[in-house]
Amino acid sequence: MFQLRVTDGPSVGWAQALEAGRTYKVGRDAQSCDLAFQDGTMSRLHAELTWRDGGWVLANRSPHGVLVGEAVEQGEVPLGPGAAFVIGGTSFVLEAVGAPAGGVPALAGAGPATGGAAAGPGWALPLGCSCISMLGCAPLAFGLVMGISFALWEARIQRSLRGDDTAVLAAIVAPIASLGAGLLALVVMRLFEVRRAKARAGGA
């Protein structure tokens, strides 16, 4: 959606929402113009603002022309969001507000629709396990459980054979530490995946 706002001149502060598909006549004649201003330096019909091919076009209809940027234009000029121009002694700016012209209002910060759940870094599951990385987490979790079971079984054997508590502790800690390191590596890999995905999205 777009609006036209007066930034300088007799009607400073005035603003009007613009409807896509319409043509607005701009001048000082209230009977023939859609947007009429009490500006003695404007022609009765000075310009027309028309929605065409997905954008606004300013067309001069006065021998005095319209000032767009630093150039006096006698014909048609396409206007983008933020474009400033002067008609007579009145300065205007074309502003995009809230939604694309003729479109649906956009939510602040919303990205392109994908037809499904919003893509995110995937931290809904513990330890960075998203649905995508579940295949990697499940075997690791299974291995962790099996490793602990094996460590406890090995500890019982060591204790019965040697009666050495240090050997028992080492038998328990070693496989757990190894599996913990593997789990940490998976989390770090997941963080790098998220950063690469964000970098690709930012460069698109």
Side-chain angles (χ1 to χ4, degrees):
M1 181 177 180
F2 287 83
Q3 75 170 9
L4 188 63
R5 183 167 59 89
V6 173
T7 59
D8 193 17
S11 302
V12 63
W14 172 95
Q16 169 71 48
L18 303 177
E19 299 179 14
R22 285 196 56 182
T23 294
Y24 293 88
K25 296 179 179 181
V26 184
R28 73 170 191 270
D29 186 2
Q31 294 184 349
S32 61
C33 293
D34 304 288
L35 306 177
F37 299 91
Q38 295 180 352
D39 181 349
T41 60
M42 277 190 188
S43 300
R44 293 174 61 84
L45 171 59
H46 201 118
E48 292 180 348
L49 192 59
T50 302
W51 177 261
R52 184 189 305 160
D53 298 329
W56 291 100
V57 177
L58 180 66
N60 175 58
R61 295 291 183 261
S62 168
H64 303 294
V66 293
L67 182 65
V68 181
E70 297 181 356
V72 176
E73 303 288 347
Q74 298 290 342
E76 295 186 348
V77 183
L79 301 177
F85 56 94
V86 180
I87 299 177
T90 302
S91 300
F92 298 88
V93 63
L94 180 67
E95 299 174 324
V97 288
V104 178
L107 297 177
T114 59
W123 296 104
L125 297 176
L127 301 175
C129 299
S130 66
C131 294
I132 297 176
S133 60
M134 198 61 166
L135 293 176
C137 290
L140 186 61
F142 177 75
L144 182 61
V145 172
M146 293 300 295
I148 293 174
S149 300
F150 174 78
L152 294 175
W153 177 73
E154 179 69 15
R156 292 183 62 184
I157 294 177
Q158 293 291 338
R159 188 178 183 85
S160 63
L161 292 178
R162 302 172 58 180
D164 187 350
D165 289 340
T166 302
V168 172
L169 182 61
I172 294 175
V173 170
I176 294 177
S178 177
L179 289 170
L183 184 60
L184 179 61
L186 179 64
V187 172
V188 171
M189 289 175 61
R190 179 59 181 162
L191 288 173
F192 277 113
E193 290 175 7
V194 172
R195 291 185 63 182
R196 283 198 300 267
K198 288 183 176 180
R200 286 195 297 269

